[in-house]
Amino acid sequence: MFIIDSPSHDAYFNIASEEYLLTKYPEEPIFLLYMNDPSIIIGKFQNTLAEINLDYVNDNKIKVVRRMSGGGAVYHDLGNLNFSFHTLLGNLDFMDFSTFTQPIVSVLNKLNIPAKLEGRNDLLVDGKKFSGNAKLAKNGKMVQHGTILIDSQMQILSDALKVNPLKFVDKAVKSNRARVTNLIGYLPQGFTTVKFKELLIAEMQRENPDAEIVHFSATDIQHIEHLVKEKYETWDWNFGFSPNYNFKKAIKIPAGFIELHLDVHRGSIEHAKIFGDFFASESIHELEQLLIGKKHQLEEIRALLEAIDLTSYFGKVDVVEILELFK
């Protein structure tokens, strides 16, 4: 087994590294650990916009990254330790989460913390979730990865993942907002995420005496950063990959009431309909047609709105007011 402690706190880099390692080590078992700066990690089959508070995420410069595995959206920061096991799929039970969560449970039990696996894929203490896990099978290997909440900013977690469920109608996988807790209240005073990481690495070395600690080489980093540029930091992967959805929002501004309905396919607007009691000198149908083919992305919508005379469609309005419709 190779044990890798990522040198980066960049979510794009660390999520990309999981895919890279499948190619780098096609047969060897791997235990990868990493900590991310504030970021939201979206399940592969989720509608990103329906999982995040976009305004809050943008205002606070929180990165949004889609991972390879399914499951729900999670918030990462430096109070959150992330782990990833890579092993040959072989005859393993894909739905067995216990094997690769046991080292975490063991570390906590040795600290007299009553952690245990409950349900399908969650680790709980006193009935509250501190770790969620997800899986995928790719290239003949199985990857199980998860989070460990040590001292994460719970208010930011809540605000970043708070979204209006009435905006979206789709069949994408929705996150289950379980009752969560940090472990910091159960750990010895002065404990840190880094300290827990060190204990977990030591536990893995005890369980796997032949385990070897390896580091990303300059070439590895170059390949991972290339994958970041090509995939993991792109709008197409993180937002455009989302399943089809219908979006609706209404606003009340001095110019009147405006309601927007969008049909979105792979991130691009296929159909748009605008209703309201505003006064327009030009047919609103013209604006609806201009929206078709545009990405449901604020910067692209902003560019369109700035290039046209909005007053001819809505009366006395500005770009910022109308842009609110698309958030």
Side-chain angles (χ1 to χ4, degrees), residues 48-175:
T48 303
L49 290 174
E51 293 293 329
I52 66 174
N53 180 341
L54 187 61
D55 287 341
Y56 185 89
V57 166
N58 287 338
D59 290 345
N60 290 277
K61 297 180 172 57
I62 297 172
K63 291 181 177 178
V64 178
V65 194
R66 187 183 299 278
R67 62 178 184 266
M68 293 186 294
S69 64
V74 291
Y75 172 73
H76 287 182
D77 60 20
L78 295 180
N80 185 350
L81 179 62
N82 307 286
F83 62 93
S84 180
F85 285 95
H86 296 213
T87 187
L88 288 174
L89 182 56
N91 295 319
L92 293 173
D93 180 0
F94 184 77
M95 295 311 296
D96 173 26
F97 283 85
S98 62
T99 300
F100 300 116
T101 54
Q102 187 55 47
I104 296 136
V105 172
S106 295
V107 169
L108 291 169
N109 290 168
K110 289 174 183 177
L111 293 169
N112 297 317
I113 297 171
K116 57 183 177 178
L117 176 67
E118 288 194 10
R120 183 182 62 177
N121 60 336
D122 294 337
L123 294 179
L124 276 65
V125 60
D126 290 342
K128 292 170 284 187
K129 175 179 172 180
F130 67 86
S131 174
N133 292 261
K135 277 193 179 184
L136 69 122
K138 187 178 178 70
N139 298 348
K141 294 192 83 173
M142 181 176 72
V143 177
Q144 178 175 320
H145 48 197
T147 63
I148 307 171
L149 291 168
I150 305 293
D151 193 15
S152 187
Q153 298 296 312
M154 287 297 186
Q155 187 57 53
I156 297 178
L157 182 157
S158 176
D159 292 341
L161 296 176
K162 187 186 297 177
V163 67
N164 181 355
L166 299 179
K167 286 185 183 179
F168 296 91
V169 178
D170 62 18
K171 296 181 180 180
V173 178
K174 300 297 188 297
S175 295

Side-chain angles (χ1 to χ4, degrees), residues 221-246:
I221 292 172
Q222 182 179 9
H223 284 303
I224 295 169
E225 289 178 345
H226 177 75
L227 191 55
V228 167
K229 293 293 183 186
E230 292 293 312
K231 181 176 181 178
Y232 283 95
E233 70 176 9
T234 67
W235 183 91
D236 286 340
W237 171 250
N238 293 321
F239 290 86
F241 188 82
S242 296
N244 300 348
Y245 59 88
N246 304 115

